[in-house]
């Protein structure tokens, strides 16, 4: 793992594309230790210009000049501020335990909350910040990625990601602290018919997404990653299909109710 440190000129980036419903994205890191095989950032300029393999480098955005506080204040003076954290990294990847960049950004936002904050992660490390999140004065949601209930499938697609069990236990702790949560089944991976029942005790809100709806290019970016070779190798090609998500979405709707299951972008928009 190659690690660099940088004081960025800005933390907030104007949101665009899939996330255009937000005013800004916020990435505490460049690069991501989880290095998921299907990560669309692999083919983005961030990854390509690095000249390194995705998952093997991270730039830590240090805020020694208190840049974020100034930026957030200026953005709020201009109007509505809605933030998606994070679009091209996991804000709670393992390095966060030591460096506490995300924790710092949260502390700043807790002092001057944006109009909405969406926190997307797959990491149990978010539990560390329950103290901030449980008294956070603004509107927000924690969205926990759980793509399947089959641990062996996770290991093929995201070998460095935390276990499903640890993510479920994290949800239980967040829920117990009255922190708003959802599960993002994104992207849908081959799962069992029990998946909805397994999730039920941990959340009442689920979002279902796949490469074809959610990678910003109708699945072309994911195809370019050669992700189909993993499906072939594990003999699960029927799941690599634009309609495969529908069975999962229907299963979730039966258990959670239609109104509590969002499809693709609907589940990632700012909430009222
Ligand atoms: S956790 Fe998210 S940002 Fe990190 S590699 Fe996986 S999909 Fe990409």
């Amino acid at each position: 793992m190659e690690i660099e440190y940088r004081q960025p000129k800005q933390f907030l980036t104007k949101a665009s594309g899939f996330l255009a419903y937000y005013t800004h994205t916020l990435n505490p890191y460049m690069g991501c230790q989880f290095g998921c095989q299907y990560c669309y950032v692999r083919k983005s300029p961030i990854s390509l210009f690095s000249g390194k393999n995705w998952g093997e480098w991270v730039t830590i955005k240090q805020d020694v000049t208190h840049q974020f506080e100034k930026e957030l204040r200026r953005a709020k003076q201009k109007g509505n501020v809605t933030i998606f954290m994070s679009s091209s990294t996991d804000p709670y990847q393992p390095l966060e335990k030591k460096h506490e960049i995300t924790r710092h950004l949260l502390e700043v936002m807790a002092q001057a909350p944006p109009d909405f904050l969406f926190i997307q992660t797959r990491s149990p490390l978010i539990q560390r910040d329950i103290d901030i999140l449980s008294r956070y004065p603004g509107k927000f949601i924690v969205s926990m990625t759980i793509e399947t209930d089959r641990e062996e499938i996770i290991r093929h697609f995201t070998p460095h990601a935390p276990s499903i069990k640890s993510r479920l236990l994290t949800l239980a702790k967040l829920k117990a602290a009255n922190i708003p949560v959802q599960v993002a089944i994104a992207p849908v991976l081959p799962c069992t018919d029990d998946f909805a029942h397994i999730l039920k005790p941990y959340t009442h809100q689920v979002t279902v997404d796949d490469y074809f709806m959610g990678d910003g290019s109708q699945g072309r970016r994911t195809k370019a990653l050669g992700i189909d070779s993993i499906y072939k190798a594990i003999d699960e090609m029927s799941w690599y299909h634009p309609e495969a998500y529908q069975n999962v979405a229907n299963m979730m709707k039966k258990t959670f109710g239609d109104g509590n299951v969002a499809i693709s972008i609907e589940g990632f928009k700012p909430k009222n």
Side-chain angles (χ1 to χ4, degrees), residues 27 31-42 54-55 86-91 93 120-122 145 147 157-158 161 186-187:
N27 290 285
C32 185
Q33 288 174 285
F34 290 141
C36 308
Q37 297 295 337
Y38 55 67
C39 182
Y40 60 81
V41 189
R42 283 174 176 273
W54 184 246
S86 297
S87 57
S88 58
T89 190
D90 192 307
Q93 61 187 294
Q120 181 67 53
T121 186
R122 67 186 64 220
T145 303
E147 315 96 308
F157 288 88
T158 64

Side-chain angles (χ1 to χ4, degrees), residues 2 6 15 39 87 89 95 97 110 120 147 158 172 184 193 241 261:
E2 276 188 58
R6 186 179 298 172
C39 182
S87 57
T89 190
L95 278 166
K97 186 171 185 184
Q120 181 67 53
E147 315 96 308
T158 64
D193 294 343
H241 190 279
V261 179

Side-chain angles (χ1 to χ4, degrees), residues 11 14 19 35-36 41 48 83 92 94 104 112 117 121 124 138 142 145 164 173 202 236 241-242 247 254 256 259 262:
F11 279 87
K14 191 174 182 308
L19 295 173
C36 308
V41 189
L48 297 175
I83 295 178
Y92 287 99
H104 160 69
L117 171 65
T121 186
V142 174
T145 303
I164 296 167
K173 288 186 182 163
Y202 301 98
E236 297 280 7
H241 190 279
N247 285 341
K254 267 190 205 154
F256 288 91

Side-chain angles (χ1 to χ4, degrees), residues 2-269:
E2 276 188 58
I3 297 170
E4 283 181 16
Y5 298 86
R6 186 179 298 172
Q7 167 71 53
K9 288 201 181 85
Q10 58 180 62
F11 279 87
L12 290 170
T13 304
K14 191 174 182 308
S16 61
F18 191 72
L19 295 173
Y21 291 97
Y22 288 81
T23 59
H24 300 86
T25 58
L26 177 58
N27 290 285
Y29 300 89
M30 282 169 71
C32 185
Q33 288 174 285
F34 290 141
C36 308
Q37 297 295 337
Y38 55 67
C39 182
Y40 60 81
V41 189
R42 283 174 176 273
K43 290 285 179 193
S44 74
I46 290 173
S47 174
L48 297 175
F49 292 158
S50 77
K52 300 168 200 157
N53 294 329
W54 184 246
E56 295 178 6
W57 62 277
V58 175
T59 300
I60 296 169
K61 297 185 184 176
Q62 294 180 306
D63 192 15
V64 286
T65 63
H66 302 286
Q67 163 72 18
F68 181 57
E69 188 181 343
K70 293 174 230 169
E71 242 177 277
L72 182 60
R73 193 183 325 121
R74 276 198 301 271
K76 281 167 64 85
Q77 279 165 358
K78 285 183 191 161
N80 189 52
V81 177
T82 51
I83 295 178
F84 189 97
M85 180 174 82
S86 297
S87 57
S88 58
T89 190
D90 192 307
Y92 287 99
Q93 61 187 294
L95 278 166
E96 168 62 17
K97 186 171 185 184
K98 177 179 174 194
H99 295 282
E100 300 193 353
I101 309 297
T102 300
R103 185 171 172 86
H104 160 69
L105 299 177
L106 265 185
E107 280 170 339
V108 171
M109 287 189 279
Q111 294 300 316
D115 295 279
F116 187 76
L117 171 65
F118 192 103
I119 304 172
Q120 181 67 53
T121 186
R122 67 186 64 220
S123 171
L125 184 53
I126 193 171
Q127 292 174 54
R128 183 203 59 195
D129 291 346
I130 283 177
D131 60 332
I132 302 177
L133 294 169
S134 60
R135 60 181 165 75
Y136 183 86
K139 289 183 191 161
F140 76 107
I141 191 167
V142 174
S143 180
M144 178 65 72
T145 303
I146 304 181
E147 315 96 308
T148 172
D149 57 337
R150 293 173 59 187
E151 187 67 34
E152 82 279 11
I153 293 289
I154 291 282
R155 295 301 129 213
H156 287 290
F157 288 88
T158 64
H160 307 297
S163 68
I164 296 167
K165 191 175 172 191
S166 69
R167 298 186 224 179
L168 290 172
L169 290 173
T170 302
L171 280 171
K173 288 186 182 163
L174 293 170
K175 209 174 153 209
N178 289 321
I179 291 165
V181 296
Q182 74 160 359
V183 168
I185 306 171
V188 166
L189 292 179
C191 61
T192 77
D193 294 343
D194 292 332
F195 193 14
H197 294 297
I198 288 169
L199 292 181
K200 182 70 176 161
Y202 301 98
T203 184
H204 64 266
Q205 184 72 36
V206 172
T207 289
V208 181
D209 201 2
D210 71 3
Y211 315 123
F212 305 96
M213 299 181 287
D215 81 348
S217 67
Q218 289 86 49
R220 285 191 298 277
R221 278 208 276 185
T222 313
K223 192 173 179 196
L225 296 172
I227 207 76
D228 55 326
S229 65
I230 301 180
Y231 287 87
K232 273 185 202 140
I234 60 174
D235 201 18
E236 297 280 7
M237 271 307 276
S238 63
W239 285 89
Y240 186 59
H241 190 279
E243 287 169 18
Y245 83 91
Q246 287 176 358
N247 285 341
V248 178
N250 290 337
M251 176 191 358
M252 295 297 156
K253 284 177 182 172
K254 267 190 205 154
T255 300
F256 288 91
D258 284 8
N260 295 316
V261 179
I263 306 299
S264 195
I265 185 60
E266 292 304 318
F268 296 98
K269 286 180 181 175

